[in-house]
Amino acid sequence: MGSSLLKWLGALVALWLGAMAQAQDFTAVARLDHAQSVIRERGAGVELRLALSQGVPWRVFTLAAPERLVLDFREVDWQGAGAALAVETDRVRGLRMGQIRPGWSRMVVDLAGPHVFEQAAMEVDAQSGTALLHVRLGAEDAARFSATAGVPEGPGWEGAAPSAVPAPPERDGTAPLRVMIDPGHGGIDPGAEVDGIAEKDLMLVLARELREALLRAGGFEVWLTREGDEFVSLEGRVAQAHRVGAEVFLSLHADALSDLRARGASIYTLADSASDEASAALAERHDRADILAGVDLRGTDDVVADVLMDLARQETQPRAEALAQTLIESFRAGGIPLLSRPMRHAGFSVLKAPDIPSVLIETGFLSNARDRRHLSDPAWRAELVAVLTGALRTWQRADRARAALLRQ
Ligand SMILES: [Zn+2]
């Protein structure tokens, strides 16, 4: 790590705290004033001037291969900014902006060459509260660029992050629980296929039945990650959950195992290392489906800052574990057959929303004759759906009671 990076990180901490002190309301969303914003040449480098309706926490860093400048904000409304923002230099090839996770906005500037980061500052007008972010990149220098590129894990962002992680929406005990149901696979990716039954079709049927049951029971708002036989990337499924502000994410599956005797339901939560070989293989197979379907998985890691994700997960993961536990207890009490050691974990990409308790439910295995018979039987599925509905209700009560305790 070059000394220049350390120096600007240091500068950034000071600037960031400065912005914190000056801005009035950090929970509000800043708007980009495109008319007052510009990206242009300056000497041998590039200059960005972004005018915002108010000061917000921010950070800047560069990434190599390909060379990019990344600006993170909490939070900027980019509406219409892409087309309207003036780019007056061919040293910038492209511009993307959008939400990277709830409460966090990002702008990615594609650079034509390794223009080295020089300085960044946000000035907040004491009178109007408007803010101007000024970023300067210097001349091209491949060696210096690669030495300083990377997502900073410096004390500025990391130290400030705990308060910056968006709190779960404040909801009283009577508000409906927002549930995202994810019917596994779809479209080009059929999932398991046995005896003319495709996992993707069966899971869509089950997801619709579960939605209907939850809506009939009342107290739930329900979304599906897909409504038809279409392909949705794993990342896209998680993004949809974020978009609707889901409070819980249930991914429904009925995969096939090479061991045809394996049968019964199991619940998976996210972990860096898998609980067993079969779980690892399942997670790997689900990720491979995304690659085969043409999703570019490179660079997904820099979509969200790891540090922020870890912080959110510390809060979310125990809630997901509690949900998995409740589901297993409910399955047991409701007579839904379980796999031996039904609570498992693995690195499923679809469970990676850092701030939404997420579980993957293997409702059974299509490779097993009994499970296949169960899952194809509407009466059996109705029992499963009733148990799932009850389990969600039980978990919601416990989860909100816990949240209320934490608030006191
Ligand atoms: Zn599956």
Side-chain angles (χ1 to χ4, degrees):
M1 183 184 282
S3 62
S4 57
L5 175 64
L6 289 173
K7 205 163 73 195
W8 76 254
L9 273 176
L12 217 55
V13 179
L15 291 166
W16 193 85
L17 292 173
M20 270 296 266
Q22 283 171 54
Q24 299 299 311
D25 179 7
F26 271 84
T27 59
V29 177
R31 283 182 321 281
L32 181 71
D33 180 351
H34 351 105
Q36 300 298 318
S37 303
V38 68
I39 300 176
R40 63 189 171 201
E41 285 175 19
R42 186 185 166 109
V46 178
E47 172 188 51
L48 279 88
R49 296 175 70 84
L50 300 179
L52 301 172
S53 58
Q54 66 173 84
V56 288
W58 59 281
R59 67 171 181 177
V60 180
F61 56 93
T62 51
L63 291 175
E67 287 111 0
R68 284 152 292 166
L69 170 71
V70 180
L71 301 95
D72 284 341
F73 299 92
R74 186 179 185 217
E75 171 179 26
V76 173
D77 177 2
W78 299 116
Q79 235 173 14
L85 187 58
V87 180
E88 298 173 356
T89 170
D90 53 16
R91 291 174 190 162
V92 167
R93 286 203 173 122
L95 213 52
R96 289 180 301 281
M97 41 202 97
Q99 195 187 51
I100 53 161
R101 43 167 299 185
W104 296 94
S105 317
R106 172 168 287 187
M107 174 187 278
V108 182
V109 181
D110 297 324
L111 302 170
H115 290 278
V116 177
F117 175 84
E118 274 184 353
Q119 69 178 67
M122 182 181 278
E123 291 164 35
V124 179
D125 186 288
Q127 296 294 308
S128 64
T130 58
L132 181 70
L133 178 65
H134 187 196
V135 181
R136 261 170 57 187
L137 305 179
E140 294 190 33
D141 184 336
R144 270 184 67 207
F145 189 93
S146 62
T148 54
V151 180
E153 289 185 29
W157 200 257
E158 210 172 357
S163 62
V165 170
E170 200 69 37
R171 321 201 76 198
D172 62 41
T174 59
L177 182 72
R178 304 163 78 94
V179 184
M180 179 58 90
I181 305 172
D182 173 44
H185 311 277
I188 192 173
D189 164 27
E193 288 177 297
V194 183
D195 273 3
I197 304 171
E199 182 185 358
K200 64 172 182 177
D201 298 329
L202 200 49
M203 291 305 103
L204 184 57
V205 170
L206 180 64
R208 288 185 181 137
E209 289 169 349
L210 178 57
R211 170 169 60 188
E212 210 185 302
L214 290 172
L215 294 178
R216 220 179 315 121
F220 298 98
E221 282 179 68
V222 188
W223 290 266
L224 266 55
T225 52
R226 63 182 176 94
E227 289 288 344
D229 182 19
E230 61 199 307
F231 178 81
V232 184
S233 73
L234 298 175
E235 209 182 327
R237 295 168 196 259
V238 176
Q240 284 192 48
H242 278 140
R243 213 170 297 137
V244 302
E247 294 167 286
V248 60
F249 183 92
L250 305 177
S251 192
L252 301 179
H253 289 260
D255 285 277
L257 291 186
S258 51
D259 179 358
L260 305 185
R261 292 163 306 174
R263 59 185 196 172
S266 44
I267 313 290
Y268 293 78
T269 53
L270 179 68
D272 289 332
S273 57
S275 53
D276 54 285
E277 241 166 77
S279 304
L282 267 178
E284 207 180 294
R285 205 170 335 130
H286 283 132
D287 276 8
R288 214 177 307 133
D290 251 24
I291 296 171
L292 291 176
V295 177
D296 185 2
L297 293 181
R298 285 171 311 158
T300 46
D301 273 349
D302 79 59
V303 171
V304 182
D306 284 347
V307 177
L308 297 175
M309 290 208 359
D310 286 348
L311 282 163
R313 277 208 197 108
Q314 283 174 16
E315 155 91 3
T316 309
Q317 205 51 28
R319 299 171 60 209
E321 302 291 342
L323 174 58
Q325 198 62 55
T326 305
L327 283 164
I328 284 167
E329 283 160 15
S330 303
F331 278 24
R332 208 164 262 146
I336 304 293
L338 288 164
L339 183 67
S340 60
R341 293 185 299 113
M343 185 125 149
R344 298 178 178 228
H345 48 263
F348 287 99
S349 291
V350 81
L351 302 180
K352 284 185 177 164
D355 45 0
I356 306 172
S358 305
V359 296
L360 187 145
I361 303 172
E362 285 286 356
T363 52
F365 293 111
L366 281 188
S367 42
N368 179 263
R370 184 204 66 187
D371 283 3
R372 205 158 56 236
R373 198 173 60 242
H374 279 169
L375 285 161
S376 310
D377 175 8
W380 189 87
R381 286 201 307 271
E383 284 174 35
L384 173 63
V385 156
V387 167
L388 286 170
T389 304
L392 271 178
R393 184 89 81 199
T394 304
W395 172 78
Q396 175 195 23
R397 244 181 252 130
D399 192 59
R400 285 188 177 166
R402 182 179 157 275
L405 268 178
L406 284 179
R407 272 199 301 273
Q408 280 169 3

